[in-house]
Amino acid sequence: MSIRATVKSVLGEKNMKVLRRLKRRLAGKGTKPSGLEAISNDLNKLALHFKTDKWGTHRYTQHYQRHLQHLKNDSFNLLEIGIGGYNRPGQGGASLRMWKQFFPKAQIFGMDIQDKSFVDEDRITTFIGDQSDPSSLNAVADKIGELDVIIDDGSHRSPHVLTTFATLFPRLKDGGIYAVEDTQSSYWPEWMGSEDRDAPNTSMAMLKRLTDGLNYEEFVDENYQPSYTDLNVVAVHFYHNLVIIEKGRNAEGTNKRKALKQRYAKS
C-alpha cells in the first residue's frame, strides 16, 4: 500500500479533505473569496449590493474608488451628511453600509435631520443634526473627533451646502477628502439654486471659486489676502454632479516676478 493510501486509511476521507485544503492554503492557493468578500474591493459592485444610488442613478463610486483607494486598509473616520430614506421608517443607511464593507478598519458616521439610529451597528454610528446650523454641525464633529473624509449628500440646497462646507472643511484633517454630491441642484431655482450660471451664491459658484484660489499666488493684486480655502485646498476634481476636494497646504510659490519683470520693476 502506498504512503498516500495508508494516510487516507488512517485519517479518513473527511480529514483528508481538510488536509488538502490546508496544503493548498499553505501553498498560496487559498479558496476563492465568496459573497461580500468577493466584491469588497469594488465600490461599484458594493453600491449595487447595498442598493445605494451612488452607482446606477449616479456614477459616483468609480470616482470615489480613485480618490479613496489609498485609505482602503487604514483606520480613519468618515462622516457622511445625509443618510437617506427621508422620514420613512426603517429607510436609509445603504451608503454607510457600503463604506463599512469597503473600509474594513474605518469608523463610519452619518448625520441626518431624521433619527436614523436603526442603522447603528459595529463601526457605524449615526447622529441627528441639521446641516443648515453651524452649531449642530460642530456638535456632531466634536463627538467624532478627527475627520478624514467628509461627504455632503444632504439636502443639496445651496445655502446648506455652503454652510456645511464653511463649518466642516476647516475641521477636516490635512490630507483629507471633502466631497459634495448632487451639484446639479445648484442650477435649479426650485432647490434654492439659480438658473443664472454666474449667480455668486450657489454651491457650484463656491466650488468654482476654489479653482481660482488654487492659483492665488499668481494674482497680481498686491492687496489680495488669501482666504482659508486658498491656503488649504490643493486639488479640486469636478465630475458630473460630484466635486471632490483635497485638503493640504497650498503654498508652492510663484515665478510671477521673474515672468512679469516689467510690472514688478515699478515696485
Side-chain angles (χ1 to χ4, degrees):
M1 182 181 292
S2 68
I3 295 176
R4 180 184 177 87
T6 302
V7 171
K8 184 175 180 180
S9 65
V10 172
L11 295 180
E13 182 62 31
K14 183 177 180 180
N15 288 329
M16 279 296 295
K17 288 181 180 179
V18 173
L19 185 62
R20 284 194 291 268
R21 284 198 298 270
L22 178 61
K23 184 178 178 181
R24 285 197 300 269
R25 191 172 293 114
L26 292 173
K29 300 178 181 179
T31 56
K32 291 183 178 180
S34 60
L36 273 177
E37 186 184 355
I39 61 172
S40 63
N41 292 319
D42 190 322
L43 264 177
N44 292 348
K45 291 180 180 178
L46 286 174
L48 289 171
H49 175 84
F50 288 106
K51 297 181 172 60
T52 167
D53 66 0
K54 285 178 171 37
W55 183 255
T57 303
H58 303 292
R59 294 290 187 271
Y60 298 159
T61 44
Q62 60 182 334
H63 306 307
Y64 281 128
Q65 181 105 32
R66 181 182 304 118
H67 292 284
L68 299 178
Q69 181 69 40
H70 66 288
L71 296 172
K72 182 75 173 79
N73 294 306
D74 289 358
S75 298
F76 69 96
N77 294 334
L78 180 152
L79 169 63
E80 182 158 11
I81 309 295
I83 298 175
Y86 301 98
N87 60 354
R88 297 190 295 268
Q91 296 294 308
S95 62
L96 300 184
R97 298 182 185 105
M98 176 192 73
W99 296 128
K100 175 185 174 179
Q101 185 64 36
F102 187 70
F103 297 116
K105 298 180 182 178
Q107 294 297 320
I108 309 302
F109 300 93
M111 189 190 96
D112 200 281
I113 201 166
Q114 304 289 336
D115 181 0
K116 300 291 180 177
S117 56
F118 70 90
V119 178
D120 290 9
E121 58 184 57
D122 178 44
R123 295 198 298 111
I124 295 180
T125 305
T126 63
F127 302 101
I128 298 175
D130 181 354
Q131 76 169 134
S132 69
D133 179 2
S135 63
S136 182
L137 290 163
N138 278 318
V140 169
D142 287 342
K143 292 174 183 175
I144 295 172
E146 190 169 74
L147 294 168
D148 302 87
V149 177
I150 300 172
I151 298 168
D152 185 350
D153 187 19
S155 75
H156 313 307
R157 271 65 174 177
S158 283
H160 302 168
V161 173
L162 268 61
T163 296
T164 302
F165 184 78
T167 305
L168 293 184
F169 185 75
R171 303 193 62 154
L172 182 67
K173 178 183 176 181
D174 271 1
I177 298 291
Y178 192 108
V180 181
E181 295 188 3
D182 293 3
T183 53
Q184 71 271 26
S185 60
S186 177
Y187 307 107
W188 300 343
E190 295 86 347
W191 284 57
M192 301 176 77
S194 175
E195 59 186 278
D196 177 5
R197 294 188 296 277
D198 295 320
N201 296 320
T202 66
S203 54
M204 277 302 296
M206 179 273 289
L207 293 164
K208 286 186 284 188
R209 283 194 294 272
L210 297 180
T211 62
D212 281 327
L214 283 170
N215 299 307
Y216 76 90
E217 291 177 298
E218 314 304 337
F219 298 171
V220 294
D221 177 2
E222 294 299 303
N223 295 316
Y224 182 79
Q225 295 297 313
S227 67
Y228 180 84
T229 53
D230 292 343
L231 296 169
N232 291 281
V233 171
V234 294
V236 187
H237 307 269
F238 288 86
Y239 302 100
H240 185 210
N241 298 336
L242 173 68
V243 178
I244 294 178
I245 303 151
E246 297 180 36
K247 187 173 183 181
R249 180 63 176 164
N250 181 28
E252 294 183 2
T254 174
N255 69 340
K256 68 183 177 185
R257 290 185 177 275
K258 181 178 179 181
L260 304 174
K261 291 179 180 178
Q262 188 173 357
R263 169 184 288 273
Y264 289 103
K266 302 173 184 177
S267 58

